[in-house]
Amino acid sequence: PRLFREDWQREMAEDAMSRSGDSGGGSGGTSTTMDVTMKIEEMQEQNADVFAIPDYFVYMSRAFSTLEGIGLSSDSNYSILQECYPYLAKRLLSDDSPRARGALRMLLYGKGDELDLSKVGELSNGFESYTSSTSSVESGQGRSDEGRNTAIEQLAGVLLSEDSNYVQDLLLHESAVALDATVREAILSPLEPLRNVPIPSLGLLTLPLEVAKASLELQKIDESDKKKLANVKILTDALSNGQSGTAATSESRSGSAESPIGIGRVFQQASKRRRALARIGVRFGGSLTHVQARRLRERSGASGDIANGAGGEAIAARLASIGANTLESLADRLSTLDGDLADRK
């Protein structure tokens, strides 16, 4: 296997050099499969004591690289990994296994906690592309809406499932975060000047004002909230576009093959799943209370070192702690209610 691997690396390097050195200028391309494999090889060399590449991976990489080389000979932009993406999208959105969950989260969030909406669009496109190409010949060639309609039904089956799944949980969480930020912005925008009004220290006389100001401070919009609000606007526009396109014909959509599945069309399936909607509503309530409790916990912790004092920040810390406890208790009750509804099937 070692000799095979070294021979394969040399052949791939020579192949890449021959393509990059073509005099045609635009006929050569870079093999993404080879690039990925080389990087993995480097990781193994740097971490030989904890990381080893299975031999079957080398054989699969060589097969993929051969196929990609054939594609690159006629299209310098060809990527076999990109061609496999529709299947990957289908798998990630329909497989609820721990491995698929981890891969989906990494794809959508990377190493952070901010949802990448561009990846959501790519997943939607890939899901529709795979479903269309496997539904019928006419659908794969864009001469029928059968594949698109099937994709919508299948995606609705995941997002509007009566039983919880990872994709639905992510959707409910992001919706809860967006709603929390949107409501706070709507309420706090007119009251923003009051946060900066100085309050004289007059003991009990000014305590109500200090409590009110502390409450406003706990609900303030931070940079993370601003990013969420920007995502809300993007999703709102996408929803509007999806709803406006529900009656479009194939001719009117001929240039929209790269647009994601209309969110509005997916949720039109909701009327067929009334029982599921009841449980989803309960789970959304639980997700919303969890989001709010977590936010209050974080802001309480930021003021925890002065929570025993008597100033405005200490009042805010105590209010946050009380609010978080109450919301977590409510979330537990909603979870119990969802379980009770499941038992009544």
Side-chain angles (χ1 to χ4, degrees):
R2 179 179 179 83
L3 181 60
F4 178 90
R5 183 178 299 169
E6 292 174 349
D7 290 341
W8 174 80
Q9 288 178 330
R10 184 178 62 256
E11 290 175 7
M12 290 299 100
E14 292 173 351
D15 182 56
M17 291 177 64
S18 65
R19 285 199 302 270
S20 62
D22 277 343
S23 58
S27 62
T30 301
S31 171
T32 54
T33 303
M34 184 186 67
D35 292 341
V36 170
T37 306
M38 291 300 185
K39 290 178 181 179
I40 295 177
E41 291 274 1
E42 291 177 5
M43 291 175 58
Q44 180 182 10
E45 292 177 1
Q46 296 170 1
N47 306 276
D49 53 336
V50 295
F51 184 67
I53 300 177
D55 291 333
Y56 69 82
F57 180 85
V58 179
Y59 290 92
M60 291 176 61
S61 297
R62 182 164 189 173
F64 268 63
S65 296
T66 300
L67 293 174
E68 188 167 55
I70 296 173
L72 286 169
S73 65
S74 59
D75 182 359
S76 61
N77 296 317
Y78 181 80
S79 169
I80 194 169
L81 297 181
Q82 192 63 37
E83 293 298 319
C84 293
Y85 189 81
Y87 170 77
L88 175 64
K90 168 76 172 180
R91 180 70 179 270
L92 291 179
L93 290 176
S94 58
D95 188 347
D96 204 37
S97 67
R99 288 182 61 187
R101 291 184 176 195
L104 179 60
R105 179 168 184 85
M106 179 60 68
L107 177 65
L108 295 178
Y109 292 89
K111 296 181 180 180
D113 295 322
E114 296 295 334
L115 177 66
D116 187 343
L117 286 181
S118 66
K119 297 300 182 183
V120 176
E122 290 174 5
L123 270 177
S124 177
N125 286 333
F127 185 89
E128 180 183 351
S129 174
Y130 181 84
T131 305
S132 297
S133 63
T134 56
S135 294
S136 64
V137 175
E138 291 79 8
S139 178
Q141 295 176 345
R143 293 186 284 110
S144 169
D145 282 340
E146 178 185 353
R148 185 178 178 86
N149 294 333
T150 301
I152 291 173
E153 292 177 2
Q154 292 180 359
L155 190 57
V158 175
L159 299 181
L160 302 177
S161 170
E162 181 174 347
D163 295 319
S164 175
N165 60 69
Y166 188 63
V167 175
Q168 186 187 93
D169 290 343
L170 288 180
L171 174 65
L172 294 180
H173 172 76
E174 289 298 329
S175 299
V177 170
L179 178 62
D180 179 54
T182 302
V183 171
R184 284 189 289 120
E185 183 193 39
I187 294 175
L188 294 180
S189 293
L191 303 176
E192 184 64 23
L194 298 180
R195 289 182 53 229
N196 301 320
V197 174
I199 298 177
S201 180
L202 300 176
L204 294 177
L205 293 177
T206 57
L207 181 59
L209 294 176
E210 292 179 354
V211 172
K213 188 173 182 179
S215 299
L216 291 176
E217 192 67 26
L218 288 175
Q219 307 299 330
K220 68 180 180 181
I221 302 296
D222 57 19
E223 289 302 318
S224 177
D225 291 324
K226 291 178 182 178
K227 293 179 182 178
K228 295 295 191 300
L229 291 170
N231 283 349
V232 169
K233 186 178 185 308
I234 295 173
L235 287 175
T236 301
D237 293 341
L239 178 59
S240 300
N241 293 336
Q243 289 176 333
S244 63
T246 53
T249 62
S250 298
E251 290 78 13
S252 65
R253 297 196 285 106
S254 60
S256 63
E258 295 184 357
S259 62
I261 297 174
I263 301 175
R265 295 189 64 186
V266 172
F267 283 97
Q268 285 178 1
Q269 299 285 324
S271 59
K272 305 176 183 178
R273 299 173 168 83
R274 295 182 180 179
R275 177 182 172 84
L277 284 180
R279 293 190 59 194
I280 292 173
V282 172
R283 288 197 291 270
F284 175 71
S287 183
L288 181 60
T289 53
H290 272 302
V291 166
Q292 294 173 328
R294 179 181 177 182
R295 172 171 51 79
L296 292 177
R297 287 284 182 212
E298 291 175 350
R299 297 187 178 182
S300 172
S303 303
D305 55 339
I306 57 172
N308 294 324
E313 291 184 340
I315 293 175
R318 287 197 290 270
L319 287 175
S321 180
I322 294 172
N325 290 336
T326 302
L327 289 168
E328 288 169 354
S329 176
L330 177 58
D332 290 340
R333 294 180 182 179
L334 289 172
S335 178
T336 300
L337 175 59
D338 182 42
D340 291 341
L341 292 174
D343 293 337
R344 296 177 186 176
K345 284 185 177 181

